[in-house]
Amino acid sequence: MTRAQRPVAEFARYLRMETVGGVVLLAATAVALLMANSPLREVYTAVRDFHVGPESLHLSLSVGDWAKDGLLAIFFFVAGLELKRELVVGELSDFKAALLPVVAAVGGMVVPAVIALAVGWGHPGVERAWAIPVATDIAFALGVLAITASGLPSSLRVFLLSLAVVDDLGAIILIAVLFTAQFNVLAAVAAVALLALYAYLQHRRITTPWLYVPIAVGTWVAVHAAGIHATIAGVALALLTRVRKDPHEREAPALRLEHRLQPWSAGLAVPVFALFAAGVPVGAEALRGVFADPLALGVVLGLVVGKVVGILGASALAVLFKMAVWPSGAGPRDLAAVAVLGGVGFTVSLLIAELALDGATAERAKAAVLLASLIASLLAAVLLVRRSRVHRRAASGG
């Protein structure tokens, strides 16, 4: 296998796993919605709000918060590993190949945020709610792509994964900036020291989990105590993980960890988060509330319209000014279908909705995320199937 083929093979394996993860995520979301819209709602709420953990370490959190702050750190660790590996040894190590998804991700963050801000302008909460539609859900988006786009060039899969990881990283930065209420300097220093120790052990080629697991847990606790959203710990640790393998190694630490943790991320961490985050009312009255609430409406328009305009518009400008090139074997129409899929916000959008808002406003915002993600995934599925047929006909000479 050549160097150019190797990243594509790795992405194919990742996509196959994400298809399964997407199905599990969808099932968890369905369970959450059924429980939240049935006589079991009180039981569901009681479990989600039940507190557990040591109060002495300021870790007496609700079950929902443990899913949001703890389990999602695993998800972001895996995403961070993928991002670093692609930047160092994968598709994104080539400047022009890397630039297109990065530019597209920026466009796909800025335009939805502007739309959400414009629609919700003047309403309480908009100063933080504008960040809700900025992210693309990796698990759902790749699951839909893998199911519907078998005839499309593999470069589009690389493009979508790169875009999703980059804009999720941007969303993480927004979370750190917007939702850090109180900053504990001593805890932050402890987190930096633990991260430095982690990096040193990576440099010294130490591989034992007996050191790395306590360091990772300690980093998470320190970041949480610092007042920064604890998922940042996952990204920071991932970006310090070594991605080039030594001659005596079968695979690099980043790839080894990704293979081991990705099933836990897609099969447990993200679905459990969805189980406790997606339980919102979705009846006729709730849906009317989405369209009557400017903040929720801004989220829907930001994801469904803003993502397409931002991703496709930024990509077209980058190609027009010769800063980047279209993905290999693909053109603007193919990218347009993928851009629609970028409107599947889900995991990170639900997280930001929980952090940015509360009460009935948060419920409507989360319902808006679910509605927009459903619309985007269905539209994208139709477009991707059509583009797949076009490519298959072209390949067969038809």
Side-chain angles (χ1 to χ4, degrees):
M1 185 179 291
T2 66
R3 184 183 183 279
Q5 292 171 323
R6 199 172 299 119
V8 176
E10 292 300 330
F11 271 97
R13 181 156 61 228
Y14 188 92
L15 286 168
R16 283 195 295 272
M17 296 175 71
E18 285 296 341
T19 305
V20 177
V23 172
V24 176
L25 178 57
L26 187 61
T29 304
V31 171
L33 290 171
L34 285 172
M35 293 187 72
N37 292 275
S38 73
L40 293 173
R41 177 169 178 80
E42 289 188 9
V43 176
Y44 171 82
T45 304
V47 173
R48 183 192 63 194
D49 296 340
F50 180 75
H51 278 63
V52 62
E55 182 64 48
S56 59
L57 296 176
H58 304 289
L59 290 177
S60 178
L61 306 175
S62 70
V63 172
D65 284 338
W66 275 112
K68 177 177 65 180
D69 294 352
L71 289 178
L72 276 193
I74 300 173
F75 165 76
F76 282 118
F77 180 70
V78 173
L81 289 174
E82 186 68 24
L83 176 63
K84 183 172 181 182
R85 189 163 60 83
E86 288 309 308
L87 285 170
V88 176
V89 297
E91 290 288 323
L92 302 186
S93 59
D94 175 76
F95 180 75
K96 280 203 169 184
L99 192 60
L100 187 66
V102 171
V103 169
V106 172
M109 292 177 68
V110 171
V111 177
V114 169
I115 289 176
L117 189 61
V119 174
W121 187 260
H123 292 267
V126 72
E127 66 277 1
R128 300 205 296 181
W130 60 265
I132 296 172
V134 301
T136 294
D137 187 88
I138 297 173
F140 255 146
L142 292 179
V144 173
L145 186 72
I147 293 168
T148 60
S150 58
L152 289 176
S154 59
S155 60
L156 282 173
R157 295 175 171 85
V158 175
F159 172 83
L160 178 62
L161 179 54
S162 305
L163 179 148
V165 170
V166 170
D167 80 1
D168 275 358
L169 183 60
I172 293 166
I173 294 171
L174 287 177
I175 289 171
V177 172
L178 295 177
F179 306 111
T180 300
Q182 295 179 337
F183 186 69
N184 186 317
V185 176
L186 289 178
V189 170
V192 171
L194 287 168
L195 288 170
L197 178 58
Y198 181 92
Y200 174 75
L201 294 175
Q202 284 286 298
H203 177 71
R204 297 291 298 175
R205 300 323 194 241
I206 304 298
T207 59
T208 175
W210 294 105
L211 284 174
Y212 285 119
V213 172
I215 290 172
V217 173
T219 302
W220 182 89
V221 172
V223 170
H224 183 275
I228 304 169
H229 197 269
T231 51
I232 303 298
V235 179
L237 289 165
L239 295 178
L240 293 173
T241 303
R242 188 163 52 87
V243 296
R244 294 186 188 276
K245 74 182 187 72
D246 290 335
H248 66 277
E249 293 179 309
R250 291 183 58 187
E251 54 188 7
L255 188 59
R256 183 169 63 250
L257 284 168
E258 190 182 322
H259 286 167
R260 289 181 180 177
L261 293 177
Q262 203 279 336
W264 291 100
S265 171
L268 177 67
V270 176
V272 170
F273 166 74
L275 181 64
F276 292 110
V280 296
V282 290
E285 184 177 345
L287 292 177
R288 280 196 298 270
V290 168
F291 292 100
D293 184 340
L295 297 184
L297 182 59
V299 170
V300 173
L301 293 176
L303 286 170
V304 176
V305 178
K307 279 289 183 181
V308 182
V309 174
I311 293 171
L312 191 58
S315 299
L317 287 173
V319 173
L320 178 65
F321 289 104
K322 303 188 185 303
M323 297 166 57
V325 293
W326 297 114
S328 177
R333 292 183 180 181
D334 301 316
L335 214 68
V338 173
V340 174
L341 193 53
V344 180
F346 208 78
T347 306
V348 181
S349 293
L350 287 175
L351 172 60
I352 296 176
E354 286 209 338
L355 295 172
L357 304 168
D358 49 38
T361 307
E363 297 285 285
R364 287 192 294 270
K366 290 197 285 184
V369 170
L370 295 174
L371 178 62
S373 297
L374 176 63
I375 293 170
S377 58
L378 291 176
L379 284 175
V382 172
L383 293 172
L384 288 166
V385 167
R386 291 185 63 181
R387 294 308 303 165
S388 290
R389 289 174 181 168
V390 170
H391 280 270
R392 278 196 291 267
R393 283 200 299 267
S396 63

